Amino acid sequence: MKIAVPAPFNLKYTLECGQAFRWREIDGWYCAAVKGQGIKCRQVGTDLEFFTAPQTDNVALIRDYFRLDDNLTAILREIDKDDYIHGAIEKYKGLRLLRQDPWECLVSYICSAASSVKKIGQDVDRISKMFGNKLELESYLTHTFPTPEALARGCVADLCACSVGFRSEYIHEAAKAVASRRLDLESLRRKPYEDAKQILLEYKGIGEKIADCVLLFSLDKLEAFPVDRWIRRAMQENYQECRDANDREIRAFASRHFGRYTGYAQEYIYQRIRDESRA
DNA sequence: TCCCAGGCGAAAG
DNA sequence: CTTTCGCATGGG
């Protein structure tokens, strides 16, 4: 299956920027399990070629997951407020936020605390292999991310075996909350950003940064601006107003500086600071 | 071997 | 209220 994607669109930047953790590049194709479906895809110019399974040719899934309805040109124009982010926009133009599954996103970012992008992917893979279902797509073998019920049924020791360490109890508690309907992640999509965030903050292991990541990467809160150690450094070093700012002040500055799409600004800045410090 | 990693919660100031 | 420290584990 092949669809034309709206420019700008860059699949590599979108899948390798560190917002999602289970994509693997094999022979020029990106493969992953997304929302219970296997996806294998590649970009050829302005086309996105893909396979999905077990539902074949699932265009709706692709359009939703890659946020193809976002007018990225208009969004980038709106956040292009200064030289620093302008440089990031020029270099990473086509990077799109994803609309991930909220449950997988929540667990992934609970795993992200004091970890690395590589290890998070390993953790989520181990969790999927232990608790998820087998999935085959065009000879690519993987596992779906487990349902909250599957994780809630498991024990904390099994999660520990996935090498998530001190995060295992946080994950298990979240699984029980979602499986029991005490926490309805999908309902947060319809609530105002601040209300949704306060609900997530009630759970152990979910702080300001992780809540913002879940809201931004899976629940359509483009006004969220997750502040991690990299973003903190980038903002303090490049914005006079943030020189001595704490995380709360950095979020407040970003919100008034970049406007309603500050979450997109965060992802472009994250890419720039990561690339420049890798050198 | 040592240090760091898309933080967080609890203790201490 | 803000700052400091311990936390499990794997990778560089």
Side-chain angles (χ1 to χ4, degrees):
Chain A
M1 190 67 187
K2 180 168 73 176
I3 61 174
V5 286
F9 181 90
N10 186 306
L11 184 67
K12 179 181 177 67
Y13 291 157
T14 299
L15 296 183
E16 294 184 2
C17 71
Q19 57 178 323
F21 303 98
R22 296 198 67 206
W23 287 94
R24 302 292 177 262
E25 205 248 303
I26 301 169
D27 298 330
W29 292 81
Y30 286 96
C31 304
V34 170
K35 301 174 187 178
Q37 298 291 307
I39 300 179
K40 175 173 173 178
C41 61
R42 69 176 179 182
Q43 182 174 8
V44 180
T46 58
D47 287 334
L48 183 62
E49 299 180 1
F50 63 89
F51 301 92
T52 63
Q55 294 177 26
T56 57
D57 300 339
N58 198 334
V59 178
L61 173 68
I62 295 293
R63 297 195 63 83
D64 181 74
Y65 183 71
F66 288 104
R67 300 191 67 100
L68 295 185
D69 291 330
D70 278 348
N71 184 339
L72 189 53
T73 298
I75 290 171
L76 296 181
R77 188 187 313 127
E78 200 162 317
I79 64 175
D80 193 356
K81 299 287 191 182
D82 58 79
D83 290 343
Y84 186 67
I85 193 159
H86 184 75
I89 291 171
E90 285 304 304
K91 184 161 185 182
Y92 305 108
K93 188 168 288 184
L95 191 168
R96 282 175 183 262
L97 290 174
L98 296 169
R99 185 179 287 110
Q100 301 184 48
D101 170 65
W103 165 239
E104 175 176 344
C105 192
L106 177 63
V107 175
S108 299
Y109 279 93
I110 290 176
C111 289
S112 77
S115 189
S116 63
V117 172
K118 177 180 284 291
K119 183 177 184 301
I120 299 164
Q122 295 173 339
D123 290 350
V124 181
D125 274 349
R126 283 186 285 254
I127 290 170
S128 300
K129 194 166 186 178
M130 181 173 294
F131 296 97
N133 301 314
K134 283 187 181 176
L135 189 61
E136 180 172 0
L137 167 63
E138 297 284 316
S139 79
Y140 176 67
L141 301 174
T142 187
H143 292 260
T144 60
F145 187 78
T147 62
E149 290 77 12
L151 277 189
R153 277 195 302 272
C155 60
V156 176
D158 290 335
L159 277 166
C160 273
C162 299
S163 302
V164 295
F166 61 86
R167 310 163 191 88
S168 56
E169 294 198 28
Y170 300 152
I171 295 168
H172 197 245
E173 286 304 310
K176 287 191 288 185
V178 176
S180 70
R181 316 284 175 178
R182 188 165 83 251
L183 173 58
D184 180 358
L185 293 173
E186 203 52 48
S187 74
L188 303 184
R189 196 185 304 280
R190 302 184 294 271
K191 295 182 185 297
Y193 163 68
E194 287 295 344
D195 295 353
K197 185 170 181 177
Q198 287 309 312
I199 290 171
L200 290 175
L201 289 176
E202 293 173 13
Y203 294 87
K204 279 194 178 181
I206 305 175
E208 301 262 4
K209 190 269 174 181
I210 290 174
D212 277 333
C213 283
V214 175
L215 293 169
L216 176 62
F217 299 136
S218 73
L219 290 168
D220 294 312
K221 306 307 180 193
L222 302 188
E223 65 267 54
F225 189 85
V227 178
D228 70 343
R229 61 187 77 201
W230 296 100
I231 290 293
R232 185 181 310 126
R233 204 179 103 192
M235 298 301 287
Q236 289 173 340
E237 291 178 355
N238 293 284
Y239 295 89
Q240 187 61 40
E241 301 89 332
C242 293
R243 184 65 58 188
D244 299 303
N246 60 30
D247 293 354
R248 177 177 52 78
E249 293 163 336
I250 290 171
R251 284 193 299 273
F253 168 78
S255 179
R256 64 175 184 271
H257 184 65
F258 296 116
R260 57 184 165 164
Y261 299 125
T262 188
Y264 260 103
Q266 190 270 4
E267 207 54 25
Y268 277 77
I269 291 171
Y270 180 76
Q271 282 312 293
R272 177 166 180 172
I273 187 70
R274 287 303 300 262
D275 257 5
E276 290 179 349
S277 53
R278 202 170 349 238

